[in-house]
Amino acid sequence: MSSFEGQMAEYPTISIDRFDRENLRARAYFLSHCHKDHMKGLRAPTLKRRLECSLKVYLYCSPVTKELLLTNPKYRFWEKRIISIEIETPTQISLVDEASGEKEEIVVTLLPAGHCPGSVMFLFQGNNGTVLYTGDFRLAKGEAARLELLHSGGRVKDIQSVYLDTTFCDPKYYQIPSREECLSGILELVRGWITRSPYHVVWLNCKAAYGYEYLFTNLSEEFGAQVHVDKLDMFRNMPDILHHLTTDRDTQIHACRHPKAEEYFQWNKLPCGITSKNRIPLHTISIKPSTMWFGERTRKTSVIVRTGESSYRACFSFHSSYSEIKDFLSYISPVNVYPNVIPLGTTMDKVKEILKPLCRSSQNIEPKYKPLGKLKRTRTIHRDTEEEDSDLFDDPLPIPLRHKVPNQQTYHPEALPMNEASQNQPEKLTGRTGCCKTERMPTSLWADFIDCEESNSESEELETPASAEGDMGPVPHPQQKADGEVPQWEVFFKRNDEITDDSLENLPSSTEAGGSQSPKLFSDSDGESTHISSQTSSQSTHISEQGSQGWDSQSDTVLLCSQERNYGDLPSLNKGGCITGIKEHIPASPMEQNVLCPKDTYSDLESRAQDVSIVPSTGEPTALSSGKHMNQEKKPQNLSSNADSQSSSDFEIPSTPEAELPKREHLQCLYEKLATGESIAVEKSFLHSRATTKKPIQIGSSQNANR
DNA sequence: GCGATCAGTT
DNA sequence: CACAACTGATCGC
């Protein structure tokens, strides 16, 4: 949980993710993502009142976050006071003190945070230096190097302070399986179950919060079955998500919720109340996404753990692991770092102790590892923003230039996106165009944008006026759209088949290792990774940092063991009285063999390969592309994601004895592909709201193949 | 009645 | 596991 108070030392007149107390005096507000713990005070009467009196105060966030927030009636009063800013589009904002008229200019750039739909990190540049507020984030190792706007002139910008998500900044969370590995494990677990019969269903026991969408979309895409959820109106303008969800209970994948869900499950009843289909009882398993971590010395991991007869825990994390945090911070190398979260069981001092050495003032004055030998930018270069030309902004009402939006509304918040040229010199604007606010675009633009909204249903007052609720079908756009407000967002959460599929195929490891992905599992140590933790142990199985202790192999442990893995044994089957025969007809589930333990050698290889891939991108020019159209180009960014974020040369982890190193030929192959620009890995998917388009074209085919 | 806080659940 | 939320009890306006 964030304990950030809302203000940064360098720019105390703005407030981020906190809207109470001192923050009630802010000149501008920023919301990194739509999770309640970052919205404290956002709907309080005191703030609402202030808004009515201070007409120049706005809330800035990503287009997706705006949609999600405004879908919730409780926040609807913000409607006219929210300004969405496109990802990776430096935008100047005038911070005006309404009492004194004093004004300060600041340039903010939203960077994808990989935490949940619409989540971003804020990079601020102004007279007090460049600072980065990460909000909550999960970026795989090496991903910082892919964030173009974190760089300038080929180097990392000179960042004074970083306000960092330190949720897992504790060595015990050294490693958390990558998003792709986790997704892959869940896909196989689900596949092994729902392919048994139409009466085999899975219940994803997810919390009521944004962040699981990419899981839903990938499952839906993979199996051609929409995911049953309680509410989906918040996604009405996000077709890439909406299309994979349904309010029709007749599906094999459920993510619906109910206060007594756990109790229901005991009786083989889903949260939505169904227990059978066509009079035939359902056979259900539950999968609870949970964060699983591995200690420093344990590299293997299983991403699925069986916690009961019909219950599984699947690795899933919204936050960066310890090694990912260190990789990120050391890459940025700020002068100061301020933890936003103090993990339970540790203290602010301990966290700082860990982080300080990664900052510049400590010995790292000189650049540390820079891919491709790039030098870190020198001090003098810095401060792009420093040179001020405030005169440009004298205009009382700055006009936002939104490329995407042609002219339109006149009222404008004071925010101007800057183009590439000006990016490093915020103060100098290239010119201002007519105004157009992000919101309220002409309808014609509509087509180009996709709106999104959502909210964690706070009180579910569904205001479902029209659309919503109900059913599944595509929901008509609410009237608000009529206004023309259409945030654009790009798809996120697309599955990268590339990763999963391709990488498996292409990666050397797999090949040699023998086979399909699964083979690897065994390779490791014990040979067997897979055993499950059987029933009881919900706990035993998991992970352990202590892995070191003795169970190294345990990591593999994870999952479902092959032995027990006979589904026939699963209770549900038993009770359900199911069809025994079924099992035979169904191809052996993948799980039985491996899935669950993705990592192992194979993963090591994979991750390394990916690390490799990262390099090239780092060296790329930082040209900004404007707006949404950049999707394609950005693709490279996503590549890294899949890899095991943790593996890296930076933190040398003693490698697992039996782990295999990438074979030379494989690396060579990867390098060749990189050189030719061929895509190697899969894209990461949901880092932010722009993904879809990035998806390689070919991918589609591979997916189909799967089905 | 609403909101904020805290403890207990999930 | 911890997450991000929800529920319920308490207290104050």
Side-chain angles (χ1 to χ4, degrees):
Chain A
M1 281 293 185
S2 176
S3 57
F4 179 66
E5 294 292 313
Q7 297 171 300
M8 302 184 293
E10 296 82 358
Y11 300 102
T13 64
I14 63 176
S15 287
I16 313 169
D17 291 351
R18 279 298 290 270
F19 311 89
D20 57 353
R21 301 163 174 267
E22 289 299 299
N23 302 300
L24 287 166
R25 290 197 278 279
R27 296 182 189 179
Y29 294 103
F30 295 83
L31 177 62
S32 68
H33 64 286
C34 257
H35 274 168
K36 297 282 160 52
D37 58 323
H38 287 256
M39 297 161 64
K40 198 173 184 190
L42 191 55
R43 50 172 229 156
T46 41
L47 179 57
K48 194 170 181 177
R49 238 175 283 129
R50 200 231 153 169
L51 224 50
E52 291 163 1
C53 304
S54 306
L55 302 179
K56 291 196 161 190
V57 175
Y58 288 88
L59 171 64
Y60 300 88
C61 62
S62 68
V64 170
T65 293
K66 178 180 176 181
E67 282 274 330
L68 299 181
L69 185 70
L70 294 181
T71 295
N72 188 326
K74 297 264 175 70
Y75 296 95
R76 201 59 66 67
F77 70 91
W78 274 103
E79 191 155 17
K80 307 281 199 233
R81 310 296 285 278
I82 300 185
I83 296 178
S84 60
I85 297 176
E86 292 302 323
I87 300 264
E88 297 172 320
T89 304
T91 302
Q92 178 159 332
I93 294 173
S94 291
L95 304 174
V96 183
D97 179 287
E98 293 182 271
S100 67
E102 183 192 329
K103 185 153 84 171
E104 177 182 4
E105 302 296 335
I106 193 169
V107 172
V108 64
T109 303
L110 279 55
L111 303 174
H115 177 70
C116 71
S119 67
V120 297
M121 301 192 284
F122 293 111
L123 179 67
F124 295 98
Q125 295 168 275
N127 293 329
N128 295 319
T130 297
V131 300
L132 177 68
Y133 171 82
T134 69
D136 280 348
F137 77 101
R138 183 168 190 194
L139 293 179
K141 177 178 171 49
E143 285 193 303
R146 296 174 178 287
L147 296 173
E148 301 171 357
L149 297 186
L150 213 44
H151 300 74
S152 179
R155 297 168 191 167
V156 176
K157 286 180 176 172
D158 175 17
I159 295 178
Q160 183 65 25
S161 301
V162 171
Y163 294 81
L164 188 70
D165 171 16
T166 47
T167 300
F168 291 134
C169 191
D170 182 316
K172 74 179 180 187
Y173 305 120
Y174 197 86
Q175 184 199 40
I176 294 173
S178 69
R179 213 190 301 280
E180 292 71 23
E181 290 175 305
C182 296
L183 175 60
S184 172
I186 295 172
L187 286 174
E188 297 314 318
L189 174 57
V190 171
R191 188 197 312 285
W193 188 250
I194 71 172
T195 56
R196 298 190 144 240
S197 85
Y199 307 99
H200 282 72
V201 302
V202 300
W203 169 46
L204 301 170
N205 184 359
C206 300
K207 296 287 160 67
Y210 294 121
Y212 298 101
E213 293 75 12
Y214 80 88
L215 172 58
F216 301 161
T217 58
N218 280 292
L219 284 166
S220 169
E221 203 154 293
E222 181 73 22
F223 304 112
Q226 290 174 303
V227 178
H228 179 240
V229 295
D230 301 314
K231 191 167 179 279
L232 43 60
D233 63 299
M234 62 280 239
F235 300 118
R236 65 183 177 283
N237 294 307
M238 302 183 209
D240 293 300
I241 290 178
L242 186 67
H243 295 161
H244 294 294
L245 304 179
T246 180
T247 50
D248 179 355
R249 302 181 296 177
D250 184 18
T251 176
Q252 286 178 276
I253 307 174
H254 293 251
C256 39
R257 295 182 303 116
H258 185 282
K260 293 181 177 173
E262 307 270 353
E263 192 178 307
Y264 279 22
F265 186 71
Q266 298 291 95
W267 293 90
N268 220 33
K269 184 178 186 180
L270 290 167
C272 54
I274 62 173
T275 58
S276 64
K277 175 179 176 180
N278 301 329
R279 302 271 198 82
I280 298 176
L282 297 174
H283 306 301
T284 313
I285 57 169
S286 72
I287 301 174
K288 185 174 190 170
S290 321
T291 301
M292 294 180 186
W293 63 86
F294 301 82
E296 197 159 346
R297 331 192 28 123
T298 319
R299 302 202 64 185
K300 321 182 221 173
T301 68
S302 317
V303 298
I304 304 288
V305 174
R306 188 176 176 190
T307 57
E309 298 183 289
S310 311
S311 306
Y312 297 84
R313 186 170 294 172
C315 184
F316 198 90
S317 179
F318 297 148
H319 299 272
S320 283
S321 66
Y322 177 75
S323 63
E324 285 168 335
I325 290 170
K326 295 215 304 178
D327 175 69
F328 179 80
L329 189 64
S330 64
Y331 183 78
I332 305 284
S333 192
V335 172
N336 308 302
V337 59
Y338 300 97
N340 287 344
V341 180
I342 302 307
L344 215 56
T346 186
T347 63
M348 173 68 91
D349 288 340
K350 284 185 179 176
V351 175
K352 284 185 172 175
E353 229 171 81
I354 290 169
L355 302 175
K356 277 294 186 257
L358 305 176
C359 293
R360 211 179 311 166
S361 21
S362 306
Q363 69 283 20
N364 307 333
I365 296 197
E366 270 323 293
K368 30 174 123 257
Y369 158 86
K370 291 299 162 203
L372 298 186
K374 295 244 168 191
L375 295 179
K376 186 176 221 176
R377 154 206 239 188
T378 62
R379 249 299 211 169
T380 53
I381 298 175
H382 75 143
R383 284 278 162 148
D384 316 318
T385 58
E386 263 181 344
E387 354 290 337
E388 58 301 338
D389 281 354
S390 24
D391 29 48
L392 291 179
F393 299 93
D394 289 346
D395 192 16
L397 299 179
I399 306 159
L401 310 173
R402 311 234 45 135
H403 339 15
K404 327 186 157 188
V405 182
N407 58 29
Q408 190 52 346
Q409 294 293 347
T410 18
Y411 57 79
H412 33 14
E414 344 233 321
L416 322 187
M418 316 191 61
N419 62 22
E420 177 173 346
S422 59
Q423 107 173 270
N424 289 323
Q425 314 166 21
E427 265 60 20
K428 312 196 167 187
L429 297 183
T430 44
R432 62 176 41 163
T433 52
C435 47
C436 338
K437 203 185 191 172
T438 336
E439 13 190 47
R440 304 213 164 243
M441 326 178 162
T443 30
S444 57
L445 294 181
W446 229 34
D448 294 329
F449 303 68
I450 300 176
D451 251 0
C452 17
E453 298 193 7
E454 92 165 278
S455 60
N456 279 340
S457 46
E458 230 176 56
S459 38
E460 324 264 300
E461 323 186 344
L462 322 175
E463 58 168 351
T464 27
S467 54
E469 125 115 344
D471 22 31
M472 41 187 102
V475 185
H477 294 272
Q479 46 301 50
Q480 53 169 246
K481 282 341 181 173
D483 292 276
E485 164 155 343
V486 181
Q488 84 178 24
W489 88 300
E490 276 122 273
V491 182
F492 6 10
F493 310 105
K494 269 284 177 115
R495 171 203 188 152
N496 353 327
D497 308 14
E498 323 167 357
I499 278 197
T500 346
D501 300 337
D502 291 355
S503 50
L504 291 176
E505 302 176 355
N506 299 331
L507 291 181
S509 52
S510 55
T511 1
E512 352 189 334
S516 47
Q517 34 184 17
S518 37
K520 286 7 191 15
L521 307 183
F522 316 138
S523 53
D524 279 327
S525 38
D526 346 341
E528 215 4 268
S529 33
T530 34
H531 51 356
I532 297 201
S533 45
S534 42
Q535 56 278 41
T536 55
S537 54
S538 33
Q539 29 199 280
S540 51
T541 28
H542 352 322
I543 343 196
S544 49
E545 25 201 328
Q546 324 138 285
S548 6
Q549 312 183 349
W551 277 58
D552 197 346
S553 28
Q554 98 244 37
S555 28
D556 308 314
T557 40
V558 185
L559 307 268
L560 319 171
C561 33
S562 354
Q563 353 162 322
E564 323 198 11
R565 235 86 233 329
N566 314 319
Y567 286 85
D569 299 342
L570 295 181
S572 56
L573 290 178
N574 299 332
K575 41 172 125 163
C578 56
I579 326 146
T580 24
I582 294 180
K583 181 180 180 179
E584 344 261 6
H585 300 80
I586 298 172
S589 69
M591 320 174 62
E592 306 191 23
Q593 332 179 1
N594 57 60
V595 176
L596 308 176
C597 314
K599 270 201 149 215
D600 299 355
T601 38
Y602 143 75
S603 41
D604 282 343
L605 292 178
E606 178 178 9
S607 53
R608 293 191 195 198
Q610 297 188 352
D611 286 344
V612 173
S613 66
I614 295 171
V615 176
S617 59
T618 315
E620 295 176 6
T622 56
L624 282 182
S625 35
S626 59
K628 44 166 52 166
H629 304 301
M630 43 195 341
N631 299 331
Q632 310 284 353
E633 355 183 9
K634 301 222 156 202
K635 186 172 275 177
Q637 282 184 257
N638 298 324
L639 294 180
S640 62
S641 55
N642 24 334
D644 162 359
S645 39
Q646 274 74 18
S647 56
S648 85
S649 47
D650 288 341
F651 309 87
E652 260 319 0
I653 307 171
S655 56
T656 304
E658 31 303 278
E660 310 176 19
L661 290 176
K663 296 286 193 285
R664 206 157 195 272
E665 37 296 10
H666 295 139
L667 288 176
Q668 169 114 28
C669 174
L670 287 171
Y671 281 120
E672 285 172 6
K673 289 190 175 187
L674 287 169
T676 60
E678 192 172 343
S679 75
I680 295 180
V682 180
E683 89 179 309
K684 198 165 206 146
S685 60
F686 90 131
L687 283 187
H688 43 241
S689 29
R690 40 180 58 197
T692 346
T693 48
K694 312 178 173 184
K695 186 177 192 173
I697 298 175
Q698 358 160 293
I699 296 175
S701 54
S702 63
Q703 292 184 343
N704 294 330
N706 293 333
R707 293 183 191 167

